[in-house]
Amino acid sequence: MHSSINRRSVLKASLFAGLAGSVMPLSTSGFAQSDARAAIRAAALANREQDIRRIQDWIRLPSIAAEDLNMPEGAEYMAELARSAGFSDVEIVPTDGHPGVFGYMDNGAARTLGIYFMYDVKQFDASEWRSPPTTADFVDVDGWGRAIMGRGAVNQKGPEATFLAALHAMKRAGVTPPVNIALICEGEEEIGSPNFKQVATKPNVLSALKKCEGIFIPASWQGANGEVSLNMGSKGIIELELVASGENWGRGPKGDIHSSLKAMVDSPVWRLVHALNTLVTPDGNTVAIEGWFENVRALSERERELINTAAAASDEAQRKTSLGVTHWIDDLPYNEALQRLAQEPTVNIEGLVAGYTGPGGKTVLPGKAVAKLDLRLVPNQTRAEAERKLRAHLDAEGFADVEMNVSGGYDPTEIAEDSRLVQAQLAAYKAMGVTANLNPRLAGSWPGAVFTAPPVSIPAGHFGIGHGTGAHAPNEYYLIDSTNPKVAGLTDATMGYAEILFQLANVR
């Protein structure tokens, strides 16, 4: 599924290549010396071709935890990327599942920044893509510019490689980063990070993380107007399967049988459907699990204010078009839909699998049915609480035989608006002339709770400029050359990561 190119040789040969052209020159604010910034930009431009190849080559090595594909290779490649960018004492950290990677860059600075990477990507069906998902080809995207298309392009290899590009540019320019950097990586984010805490709590890793002012995952979510959201937290998640089978139920067939026998034999598939129906209200929009909302924290007045401000400044029609929808739940006004997005925990069916799903029909009564679910959690819910309540609900509703197989997950996160991490991000965006809207909570999830909860207990969020889309979907891409003067291409996105380092070093 990936090319036979010698990745290590290419990577080691790539230390002094470069980045995409600039469309949005950044201001000099935040840098100790304006000539330092100019030197870094010049180095980034000189590094352009090699930095592009770094993104492409990484995409060509898809590490998919759910399929156990290229996981050792993915960890080795991640470790080599870290070493080449200047991290020392880089180690591959074993876990009960797939390994993590850790590296540290001691720049003799007073402050330390944490950076979180994931080297795994989601599964894909190549037949659904306009360009093969592992060849990392260039495509033209209407209204945006020239982009690299491939699985992991924006989630998360493009932004992560761009952060590394900033370190390469600083190295080439002879500019020492003004903060120390602790880099922690995992290969199981796309399956719910079941073993990531083992990486973060390894004694030397934990010691480094506890020194950090905060940690972020690189992200490239600029909208068409150039604005970004600064997320003050993220929803938690649980990924699981519910399985109904004739064998566990004691009714229905143990395997597939002829469908004509439905007249006298129970169906495990219908049993699973009925079990699923008990989890939500009839419209499917509100969780109906007993006690589900007892610990849910309502949005504060400040959070509602931030959401209403963001809604007023947003293009609702454009967002509906981009999502391919025509209505929000209950036909809510946009600001109320966004409030619901931030506050509401959810039960979502990702997939349903039972019996025959190929071309044409096959008249069987299946002996087993599987529903793949994700549960999104909000403060002050916890993963442990949610798992317990789901199991208790199924048992109380008479579905004790329905298996509940949890594959991963983590708690929601929150960070303080006055934290140094948030203030440094706001200062960096301002210095770059980028409008940043404070967002109370990202509806998506990442394992930030590993950092915000004890024993690490540091702020955790997202940062970056640039653009890409298609995470978890066909035709995922990451913008390299922007035709929109308000949106960063690769060089400006690279400079954004340099900016945040200097802002964190200087913020009070």
Side-chain angles (χ1 to χ4, degrees):
M1 294 181 66
H2 58 278
S3 72
S4 59
I5 187 171
N6 184 328
R7 301 173 200 287
R8 181 168 294 222
S9 297
V10 169
L11 180 63
K12 287 185 175 179
S14 73
L15 291 176
F16 300 108
L19 284 155
S22 165
V23 299
M24 187 183 64
L26 309 178
S27 80
T28 59
S29 174
F31 286 87
Q33 301 175 16
S34 60
D35 58 347
R37 178 189 177 281
I40 295 169
R41 177 174 285 277
L45 289 168
N47 284 347
R48 171 185 167 82
E49 294 305 322
Q50 188 56 50
D51 289 342
I52 289 173
R53 286 200 299 272
R54 185 180 299 113
I55 297 172
Q56 291 178 307
D57 195 47
W58 202 2
I59 291 171
R60 290 166 185 155
L61 178 61
S63 298
I64 303 177
E67 298 176 353
D68 198 17
L69 177 69
N70 296 326
M71 298 311 297
E73 296 88 344
E76 288 284 355
Y77 191 66
M78 180 67 255
E80 192 61 47
L81 283 170
R83 293 187 191 101
S84 71
F87 289 94
S88 60
D89 300 321
V90 175
E91 59 178 308
I92 294 176
V93 182
T95 73
D96 290 342
H98 300 300
V101 177
F102 175 72
Y104 192 78
M105 184 183 292
D106 186 350
N107 295 312
R111 292 179 180 170
T112 302
L113 172 67
I115 298 294
Y116 165 89
F117 277 14
M118 50 185 279
Y119 66 83
D120 65 318
V121 299
K122 270 293 185 188
Q123 308 94 305
F124 56 82
D125 180 348
S127 67
E128 298 176 339
W129 290 62
R130 61 178 272 203
S131 177
T134 59
T135 57
D137 294 332
F138 275 101
V139 299
D140 290 323
V141 182
D142 289 345
W144 295 98
R146 193 172 72 132
I148 293 173
M149 181 169 285
R151 175 52 83 224
V154 72
N155 183 27
Q156 207 74 38
K157 291 179 177 179
E160 290 171 350
T162 305
F163 179 86
L164 296 178
L167 299 181
H168 281 281
M170 296 177 84
K171 182 192 300 187
R172 180 165 186 160
V175 177
T176 301
V179 294
N180 310 314
I181 306 173
L183 176 68
I184 183 169
C185 321
E186 70 162 318
E188 296 183 327
E189 198 281 338
E190 296 293 12
I191 59 171
S193 304
N195 301 292
F196 180 52
K197 190 171 183 179
Q198 296 175 27
V199 182
T201 55
K202 186 172 182 287
N204 64 313
V205 179
L206 178 60
S207 176
L209 289 176
K210 288 178 74 68
K211 298 175 184 176
C212 294
E213 300 291 337
I215 189 167
F216 69 78
I217 176 173
S220 297
W221 297 334
Q222 271 189 298
N225 292 326
E227 77 284 352
V228 297
S229 290
L230 200 168
N231 301 306
M232 308 295 294
S234 300
K235 287 185 176 180
I237 192 172
I238 303 172
E239 291 199 82
L240 65 115
E241 292 182 343
L242 295 183
V243 183
S245 65
E247 184 172 5
N248 277 1
W249 187 16
R251 305 182 66 87
K254 293 183 179 179
D256 293 359
I257 61 175
H258 197 279
S259 66
S260 65
L261 297 168
K262 179 65 195 77
M264 66 177 186
V265 178
D266 292 307
S267 167
V269 181
W270 281 114
R271 182 159 182 78
L272 180 61
V273 169
H274 293 320
L276 292 171
N277 279 336
T278 71
L279 302 181
V280 293
T281 53
D283 60 7
N285 293 334
T286 302
V287 183
I289 298 169
E290 287 80 2
W292 197 253
F293 289 89
E294 66 181 352
N295 293 322
V296 169
R297 179 182 67 74
L299 291 172
S300 68
E301 287 303 314
R302 171 62 172 162
E303 289 170 329
R304 290 182 183 278
E305 175 190 353
L306 291 173
I307 291 171
N308 290 340
T309 299
S314 300
D315 188 332
E316 179 183 9
Q318 181 188 58
R319 184 162 192 185
K320 283 182 175 178
T321 298
S322 68
L323 293 173
V325 303
T326 56
H327 298 271
W328 307 124
I329 281 177
D330 298 329
D331 292 318
L332 291 172
Y334 191 37
N335 68 314
E336 293 182 27
L338 290 178
Q339 289 177 18
R340 198 177 195 283
L341 182 66
Q343 181 170 303
E344 195 77 5
T346 58
V347 171
N348 176 60
I349 300 174
E350 299 176 353
L352 285 169
V353 183
Y356 178 71
T357 60
K362 184 180 180 183
T363 50
V364 295
L365 194 170
K368 185 171 84 169
V370 180
K372 294 180 179 290
L373 306 183
D374 63 68
L375 317 179
R376 300 283 174 172
L377 310 177
V378 300
N380 294 315
Q381 292 180 297
T382 67
R383 171 185 170 178
E385 168 205 358
E387 289 181 20
R388 183 176 66 252
K389 288 178 177 177
L390 174 57
R391 181 70 266 172
H393 170 89
L394 291 170
D395 294 349
E397 292 289 328
F399 297 103
D401 57 286
V402 173
E403 296 177 52
M404 177 177 146
N405 302 321
V406 177
S407 58
Y410 31 79
D411 294 345
T413 62
E414 290 189 283
I415 56 176
E417 189 174 339
D418 62 357
S419 65
R420 279 180 176 159
L421 180 66
V422 171
Q423 293 305 306
Q425 291 183 62
L426 287 171
Y429 287 131
K430 181 178 180 180
M432 294 184 288
V434 173
T435 298
N437 301 310
L438 285 173
N439 179 33
R441 189 167 305 119
L442 179 69
S445 304
W446 73 296
V450 171
F451 307 117
T452 59
V456 182
S457 303
I458 59 174
H462 310 75
F463 177 82
I465 55 175
H467 171 76
T469 193
H472 298 193
N475 301 327
E476 179 180 357
Y477 69 81
Y478 181 65
L479 189 65
I480 299 298
D481 295 310
S482 176
T483 56
N484 183 337
K486 297 180 179 179
V487 176
L490 192 52
T491 296
D492 283 316
T494 299
M495 294 303 295
Y497 292 121
E499 184 73 49
I500 187 63
L501 301 184
F502 283 91
Q503 293 291 352
L504 184 66
N506 295 329
V507 71
R508 293 187 179 183

